[in-house]
Amino acid sequence: MKALVYTAPESLVYRDEPGPDVPSGECLVRVEAVGICGSDMHAYLGHDERRPAPLILGHEAAGVVVEGPGPGRRVTVNPLATCGACRACKAGCNNLCPQRQILSMAPRQGAFAEFIAIPPENLVEMPEHVSFDKACLAEPLACGWHAMRLGARALDGPLPDARCLVIGGGAIGLGAALALGANGASDITISEANQRRVPALKSAGKFRIATPDDVMAEDPGGYDLVIDGVGFAATRATASRAARPGGVIVHIGLGDASAGLDIRRMTLQEITFIGAYTYTPEDFRDTAAAIFDGRLGTLDWAELRALENGASAFADIQGGRASAPKIILKP
């Protein structure tokens, strides 16, 4: 099969690779669309020790089952394969399973390829009217849905009454903003530094779009719920300042691992901080359902490119030349 292979930091090669091994009971899925994630960028830059080269990256996939249970089904793919038997899995928190595997991390090769192997329980069947290009967004949007759900649960009032700030206008942050809107929030600000993304963000929903400088110029404590979809020291500092006394910060982004939080203010103002990692199976199914019935909007803000041109797509993202919140590759 053809695949886009990460061979060294900032090096991707489109070449022939062996097809995936398909364990007994799993499905072979022909990939029709796959998104580029921030974690793929981290690996591409050599910043993820969990993803050593050579490796096929990519985990935001949709396609068609060609072998295994339910051949011919059009599906979107939950890339988290878990044990199903541990305490976390039994509680429905499969994302915290200590045995979890994910596409694009050994031993599972990723979806920047023509085919992947995945357990059948990780597949959500798609209706015919939904395109693969939109269905593959279920994975990144589910991260935002999970963050929204955790944040709403921690608020001291109803989500529709909350003033919300989402930091970052990539697919993760935009997904959080869309999930907030789909669940009743109406006062939603997205903070985005890359002005190339602003037209796509404005077209995606009824959001206020602000620059990071705009948000920092506001009085402290203006937001009930802050979702950081970036995860750098500067964005954590913004979140610490923006959350009101008794407010909530949900941290999704994995930009870096140090500094930024104002622990003194968070303590004195009793601000809740929640880490959010991927999503539960229920979050993934709920997100897919919201895509299928249109609650997350038209989802026409992604840019499509051929998989064979994936290396240039990564270079454009790294160089700040990509205007879309998401680039989707087509094998």
Side-chain angles (χ1 to χ4, degrees), residues 15-90:
R15 68 190 189 192
D16 289 313
E17 285 286 305
D21 294 327
V22 184
S24 177
E26 293 199 7
C27 293
L28 182 69
V29 174
R30 183 179 71 245
V31 178
E32 298 289 346
V34 54
I36 299 175
C37 178
S39 63
D40 296 318
M41 289 301 302
H42 289 308
Y44 166 74
L45 296 171
H47 297 165
D48 190 344
E49 69 280 359
R50 304 171 302 168
R51 291 178 167 94
L55 183 68
I56 301 173
L57 299 171
H59 58 270
E60 302 176 355
V64 177
V65 178
V66 294
E67 292 180 14
R73 288 183 298 150
R74 303 170 75 250
V75 295
T76 187
V77 178
N78 179 342
L80 286 173
T82 59
C83 76
C86 68
R87 178 176 179 177
C89 287
K90 288 180 178 179

Side-chain angles (χ1 to χ4, degrees), residues 308-326:
E308 62 187 277
N309 298 325
S312 63
F314 272 77
D316 285 346
I317 294 171
Q318 173 61 13
R321 296 183 295 274
S323 57
K326 174 68 61 178

Side-chain angles (χ1 to χ4, degrees), residues 44 53 58 85 88 91 95 132 142 147 149 182 237 263 291 301 323:
Y44 166 74
N95 57 317
F132 294 111
R149 183 173 62 79
I263 298 299
I291 289 173
W301 34 261
S323 57

